[in-house]
Amino acid sequence: MHTPRRKRLLAAGTAWAVAATGAVALSFGLAGSASAGEFLVNGGFETNALSPWTCTGSTGSVVTGHAHSGTYALAGAASASDTAQCTQTVAVAPNTTYTLSAYVNGAYVYLGVNGGTSTWTPSTGGAYQKLAVSFTTTATQTSATVFTHGWYGQGTYYADDISLDGPGAPASPSASASPSIPASPSPSTSASASPSSSASASPSTSTSASPSPSTSVPPTGSHALVGYLHASFANGAGYLKMADVPDSWDIIDLAFGEPDSITGGTIHFNRCPVTECPGVESDADFKAAIAAKQAKGKKVLLSIGGQNGEVQLTTTAARDNFVNSVSAIIDKWGLDGLDIDFEGHSLSLNTGDNDFKNPTTPVITNLISAVKSLKAKYGAKFQLTMAPETFFVQLGYQYYGSGPWGGQDPRAGAFLPVIYGLRDDLTLLHVQDYNSGSIMGLDNQYHNMGGADFHIAMTDMLLTGFPVAGNTNNMFPALKPSQVAIGMPANTYAGNGYVAPAVVNQALDCLTKGTNCGSYTPRAGKQPNLRGLMTWSINWDNYNNNEFSKNFHSYFG
């Protein structure tokens, strides 16, 4: 979910992008208002300096020899721990449409606007490729932060001729940046992708739902608010003691348990050190506060993974190490269960592993086996939640693994066999509806994050079920509404795709009451027992005056 620790999700949405090699052009343009001005400063980097751009971790530089035009270009040195995100904040006018474009060169390069839409390309083939997105400001919006970045471990990317075009005379741009936070799951951490308008053939919409799993569920009418607590690190949101977490949170996920090594399976949970979190409480006080929350009916879980916590259980030995180490952490702190937040390259499918109901890939089968062992040890009280990115779930409607002929991204839909294999043990699934690209819904239309339709369409896929990779003979079955929550960022700093409380409520109205639905009509009908909402994170909500949690309880009572 973060770098060190912010949930930035893997370009969750662009199946078409991960689909057959070379089958899709990722750059696309959306019609905008008549142009009359350039709103970015130094978008061509011809000043031979970054300013007013700012880049995470000193990863950005201006270089020669790689320009699309002129002499200079931006070079972003993406590493195993940093996507090399570079941003610029500019003044904009309310209720106005702008078009953001750039020429990029590299692998997994992204372009977008914080809190709005974004696009990406998996590879430009060594040449420059144009990316473009359009967005419309809200009625009160007066600034926007645009970004470009690469992806973990993909090496240096180049960007040039970045432009934000819109009507009216450009206002003086502001170079002020958002609070200082490490570049990020979730999840969470990725920016997203947008499909080409000429995407491959849409899958069939005949989505007859399979029976929901029979598992113990909360009482009818019970709704839950889920949040992640920055327990092992600090960032711009600040550290929050467990005792100070408001009682409005029903499930508290401790972020994060991380592996000693990627394939070893052993998980550790290190609390935030005093050098990084000066106000951190003692272990004894932390454990006592957990017990106090539980005495009030709250659940406290260990979340494993996040953006930096890549876990690959490639062997049965790694599986056993996972079970033993996670059990030790649960026992030490008296926790209620486990949240699986595997991101990045933790889960992928081997070539030829095309049946989500009968997976053969070791990292999939060993994870399912490990969780079942934990469930068997702790029994019915064991809480199991999952926070996959849309790339690993809803993208499976179009693409699954490397595909029948190979060439696709093997991570596409890779969480589906895990969800299916653990459906009888699953307490709650809250897909990260943020840091995502456009994803095709059951209406065979692409939906973009940042609006109610995206949350409605993505959640409806879980409540209705869908044919995996368009194969109506291979249906991913619907989950019970009480097993589903919607994942959203708490504010614009927490992740791309933030929506205001009114938009949150619109999505809930449509999904739970069948009203206020906008352009998407849920195939599952109204589902008043939808479990609730998840957010990254409790800390960011606290930073934002608890807007997210207050709105949740205002809505559900």
Side-chain angles (χ1 to χ4, degrees):
M1 287 187 190
H2 354 246
T3 60
R5 336 247 215 209
R6 187 178 117 198
K7 216 170 188 162
R8 167 169 300 260
L9 310 356
L10 166 51
T14 10
W16 66 95
V18 300
T21 304
V24 181
L26 283 177
S27 83
F28 69 101
L30 299 178
S33 303
S35 318
E38 172 58 57
F39 284 73
L40 291 181
V41 174
N42 196 26
F45 303 97
E46 292 304 306
T47 63
N48 192 21
L50 279 174
S51 180
W53 295 91
T54 58
C55 302
T56 56
S58 301
T59 54
S61 62
V62 176
V63 298
T64 59
H66 295 277
H68 172 258
S69 67
T71 303
Y72 302 100
L74 169 68
S79 67
S81 60
D82 198 317
T83 62
Q85 175 167 281
C86 297
T87 62
Q88 184 177 148
T89 300
V90 298
V92 294
N95 293 324
T96 303
T97 298
Y98 296 87
T99 298
L100 174 67
S101 64
Y103 287 87
V104 301
N105 186 351
Y108 292 88
V109 188
Y110 298 78
L111 178 74
V113 56
N114 281 355
T117 189
S118 60
T119 187
W120 68 301
T121 176
S123 175
T124 64
Y128 268 99
Q129 176 183 333
K130 185 177 183 179
L131 298 180
V133 292
S134 289
F135 65 96
T136 302
T137 54
T138 66
T140 58
Q141 186 173 351
T142 57
S143 68
T145 299
V146 300
F147 66 82
T148 185
H149 66 77
W151 192 245
Y152 301 102
Q154 297 298 319
T156 299
Y157 70 91
Y158 301 96
D160 199 4
D161 298 329
I162 308 176
S163 172
L164 181 64
D165 195 53
S172 300
S174 166
S176 61
S178 4
S180 175
I181 52 178
S184 89
S186 76
S188 230
T189 327
S190 63
S192 346
S194 303
S196 160
S197 57
S198 59
S200 58
S202 306
S204 164
T205 55
S206 61
T207 56
S208 55
S210 305
S212 298
S214 57
T215 183
S216 58
V217 296
T220 299
S222 172
H223 298 288
L225 179 62
V226 184
Y228 287 80
L229 182 67
H230 305 179
S232 62
F233 62 92
N235 62 11
Y239 184 79
L240 187 65
K241 294 181 179 180
M242 174 63 73
D244 294 334
V245 173
D247 288 339
S248 53
W249 300 95
D250 301 299
I251 299 177
I252 302 167
D253 291 322
L254 303 180
F256 290 105
E258 296 181 336
D260 290 354
S261 66
I262 292 175
T263 59
T266 300
I267 303 298
H268 62 261
F269 172 63
N270 297 331
R271 298 192 54 233
C272 190
V274 67
T275 53
E276 188 175 349
C277 302
V280 66
E281 68 271 54
S282 68
D283 283 358
D285 287 346
F286 183 70
K287 186 172 182 177
I290 290 173
K293 294 295 181 188
Q294 293 166 328
K296 296 178 180 180
K298 313 301 180 182
K299 304 297 182 183
V300 183
L301 280 57
L302 173 68
S303 180
I304 295 179
Q307 176 185 302
N308 292 343
E310 188 172 325
V311 181
Q312 296 178 0
L313 303 183
T314 55
T315 65
T316 54
R319 174 200 65 192
D320 295 343
N321 290 340
F322 183 89
V323 172
N324 293 334
S325 58
V326 171
S327 296
I329 296 170
I330 290 175
D331 293 344
K332 176 180 179 178
W333 299 106
L335 305 179
D336 296 291
L338 176 66
D339 172 69
I340 303 174
D341 181 18
F342 282 16
E343 303 179 14
H345 291 268
S346 291
L347 295 181
S348 62
L349 294 155
N350 289 347
T351 301
D353 189 355
N354 297 322
D355 182 3
F356 75 90
K357 295 180 181 178
N358 299 286
T360 58
T361 304
V363 295
I364 304 293
T365 58
N366 288 332
L367 175 60
I368 294 171
S369 175
V371 176
K372 284 188 175 292
S373 294
L374 290 167
K375 175 71 173 183
K377 175 177 180 177
Y378 294 103
K381 67 179 183 178
F382 184 76
Q383 304 286 303
L384 173 63
T385 65
M386 301 179 189
E389 300 162 295
T390 57
F391 190 96
F392 295 90
V393 183
Q394 288 92 339
L395 185 57
Y397 178 43
Q398 288 183 279
Y399 304 100
Y400 185 69
S402 58
W405 304 284
Q408 297 176 186
D409 190 322
R411 297 169 296 169
F415 233 103
L416 294 178
V418 178
I419 299 168
Y420 181 81
L422 295 168
R423 64 196 181 282
D424 293 336
D425 305 309
L426 180 65
T427 306
L428 199 55
L429 174 70
H430 32 71
V431 175
Q432 301 176 30
D433 284 2
Y434 46 98
N435 294 329
S436 170
S438 302
I439 295 286
M440 181 177 282
L442 298 180
D443 57 355
N444 285 341
Q445 300 297 313
Y446 286 108
H447 297 270
N448 299 309
M449 66 176 183
D453 275 2
F454 188 75
H455 295 296
I456 296 166
M458 295 304 99
T459 306
D460 187 46
M461 296 178 80
L462 306 176
L463 299 173
T464 302
F466 55 87
V468 175
N471 182 359
T472 55
N473 295 318
N474 196 24
M475 297 291 297
F476 180 77
L479 295 171
K480 289 187 175 181
S482 56
Q483 291 179 296
V484 177
I486 311 171
M488 303 177 175
N491 60 26
T492 56
Y493 304 131
N496 294 317
Y498 164 80
V499 295
V503 181
V504 176
N505 295 348
Q506 180 186 350
L508 291 173
D509 282 346
C510 180
L511 290 165
T512 65
K513 302 173 184 176
T515 61
N516 200 19
C517 285
S519 64
Y520 184 92
T521 302
R523 276 57 178 165
K526 61 182 179 181
Q527 299 290 345
N529 293 331
L530 180 74
R531 190 73 196 278
L533 300 177
M534 173 275 279
T535 195
W536 178 260
S537 61
I538 293 173
N539 301 65
W540 279 120
D541 188 48
N542 181 68
Y543 179 92
N544 205 37
N545 196 32
N546 299 307
E547 176 191 82
F548 191 88
S549 53
K550 288 177 180 177
N551 184 66
F552 174 88
H553 288 287
S554 174
Y555 188 91
F556 285 115

